[in-house]
Amino acid sequence: MSALETLHIDGAWRASASGATREVLDPADATVLALVAEGGAEDTDAAVAAARRAYDTGPWPHTPVAERAELLRRVAGLLQRDREEIALIESRDTGKTLEEGRVDVDDVTKAFRYFADLVMNESGGRVVDAGDPEVHSVVVYEPVGVCALIAPWNYPLLQASWKVAPALATGNTFVLKPSEITPLSTVHMIKLLAEAGLPDGVANLVTGAGDPVGARLSEHPDVDMVSFTGGLISGTKVAQAAAPSVKKVALELGGKNPNVVFADSCDTDEGFDTAVDQAVNAAFFHSGQVCSAGARLIVEESLSERFVTELSRRAAAIRLGRGTEEGVECGPLVSAQQLAKTEMYVASAREEGAVVRTGGSRPEPSDVRPESGYFYSPTVLDRCHRGMRVIREETFGPILTVETFRTEEEAVTLANDTEYGLAGAVWTSDAGRARRVAGRLRHGTVWINDYHPYLPQAEWGGFGKSGNGRELGPAGLAEYRESKHIYQNLNPRPQRWFAG
């Protein structure tokens, strides 16, 4: 298999300077999907230099807002044109189902269109009343400069788009590093940016490992901002590397998300069915490899046995297999490493006293589940408590833990008893309780009687160790801007402050 030229630097596709390559595997059977260029520090420096030139001397930062917005809309159109092709790439690269891949492309399209509309509807600045008619004072917004965008492996195209679209809308240039595990859809997006007419050097891509590529981007003196989505350990390293140059840093570092179910939400058969259905979706969508996954079910004690029994039955019935196969509802984990991590957490939970209600092992192989694939059965762990490792740490796999509560106060305490704070949900038929609990949860997104939906217009990000900064919404656009105050004296005169 010949290697793809997957480094895009200053408008040209190329191999890595060292000639190194990396195999990209299909997680459904561990076969090689593609051989891509494995970039290093030299390639990263070249990409940053290209982005720096394009920002300092190129046209993009000075391109009228209307033209930048129109380019984003062209990219949105191209994404829809290639929807099936990209969805297949995403399905085979990440293991998710083909339908999930289609949804991802649609959500990426929405992100590009949203930021195109948002930047067009904003004013060019903010007039500040100085209290003096002879002073004109205004705050204006400028692009940050060269941005390093580091994306994760679970939603490669979607998470990249949340960074790329606002960065371009506000006139920045960038170097994008996708996960080395799932780079293929990002390569396709960069091709679409070029097809849409983006000037050379504005969008640069380096495929390769976090060390050295991500590390070099984070510390590089010519990078003005780093936006990183990924795990807590890696995010901490990014922040440490960026600190000496005092560049802007935005971090989205995952979560350990509570799904709080009060018994009154299940007083009717429809309410019970809905709450159980959503709890299954919250935990096992994309095999639990979602930063906002509802991996912690916190259910009222009086409802617990009935709820967990039915939830376990439905989890056991989930059809696992290759994501491109008809009828498959959930694909494999993304890598052998992620499979081993999942097995480790389940073993740890067993040792600490959890009861496996369903799952807890790899499924039997079949025509749609090759033995060499990274499959793990959806797993429900009952009788869990805060002392367990599986409760405290982000597992990022098809594992749902069950905790119980008796009072509203206890439910809130349990839900907030985490060092993370990305997302959470509350299920109740009591409107007052819903508002009280949602108001007290220390999480960046809180759903009431729902789980997982997000809107491009609404900010996304977390409290605590879930990171800092926000993506999406007006705040997501603001991350890629600097504010500048321009104060103009319309009638300058000597002040005579000093007598001489």
Side-chain angles (χ1 to χ4, degrees), residues 4 18 29 62-63 74 83 86 114 127 152 194 217 253 265 285 301 317 328 360 396-397 402 432 445 447-448 452 454:
L4 300 175
S18 67
D29 59 12
H62 314 290
T63 298
R74 288 199 298 274
R83 181 175 184 257
I86 299 170
Y114 168 72
V127 175
L217 285 172
L253 305 180
S265 67
F285 193 75
E301 189 177 276
V328 166
F396 231 63
V402 181
T445 294
W447 296 286
I448 297 175
H452 272 323
Y454 76 93

Side-chain angles (χ1 to χ4, degrees), residues 9 149 153 176 190 219 233 244 255 304 389 397 450 465 493:
I9 300 174
L149 312 178
W153 49 258
L176 173 60
I190 295 296
E219 70 182 10
I233 294 174
S304 176
R389 186 177 180 184
D450 211 330
K465 290 186 178 180
R493 298 181 298 275

Side-chain angles (χ1 to χ4, degrees), residues 265-470:
S265 67
C266 298
D267 284 344
T268 66
D269 289 343
E270 182 180 2
F272 179 78
D273 177 59
T274 300
V276 173
D277 174 77
Q278 290 276 21
V280 173
N281 293 345
F284 301 121
F285 193 75
H286 192 19
S287 293
Q289 299 170 120
V290 184
C291 58
S292 56
R296 293 178 62 204
L297 174 64
I298 302 175
V299 59
E300 192 164 351
E301 189 177 276
S302 61
L303 175 67
S304 176
E305 182 56 33
R306 178 186 175 213
F307 196 94
V308 175
T309 297
E310 176 59 15
L311 184 150
S312 299
R313 184 192 69 78
R314 297 189 191 189
I318 292 173
R319 294 190 293 274
L320 296 178
R322 188 187 296 274
T324 54
E325 293 289 337
E326 189 72 27
V328 166
E329 296 173 324
C330 195
L333 292 163
V334 75
S335 66
Q337 179 183 11
Q338 205 62 25
L339 175 60
K341 181 180 175 183
T342 299
E343 291 176 322
M344 178 273 293
Y345 276 116
V346 172
S348 169
R350 279 191 167 111
E351 291 172 2
E352 293 176 332
V355 175
V356 178
R357 296 291 293 265
T358 190
S361 63
R362 299 192 61 180
E364 289 295 319
S366 70
D367 290 343
V368 297
R369 292 193 301 272
E371 187 173 5
S372 55
Y374 309 131
F375 295 96
Y376 198 84
S377 298
T379 299
V380 177
L381 300 175
D382 203 358
R383 300 183 188 177
C384 295
H385 57 78
R386 289 297 298 145
M388 293 178 173
R389 186 177 180 184
V390 73
I391 290 286
R392 299 192 308 271
E393 299 178 12
E394 186 178 34
T395 55
F396 231 63
I399 301 172
L400 175 64
T401 60
V402 181
E403 301 162 83
T404 61
F405 66 90
R406 293 182 179 179
T407 67
E408 180 179 314
E409 184 67 28
E410 187 181 2
V412 171
T413 299
L414 282 172
N416 284 336
D417 188 11
T418 172
E419 62 185 2
Y420 294 100
L422 183 60
V426 54
W427 290 82
T428 177
S429 60
D430 184 329
R433 171 182 282 161
R435 288 192 294 271
R436 286 194 306 272
V437 174
R440 294 181 64 192
L441 291 184
R442 295 281 297 167
H443 301 274
T445 294
V446 177
W447 296 286
I448 297 175
N449 298 336
D450 211 330
Y451 208 100
H452 272 323
Y454 76 93
L455 302 172
Q457 321 72 301
E459 280 77 1
W460 181 266
F463 296 6
K465 290 186 178 180
S466 284
N468 56 54
R470 289 295 184 267

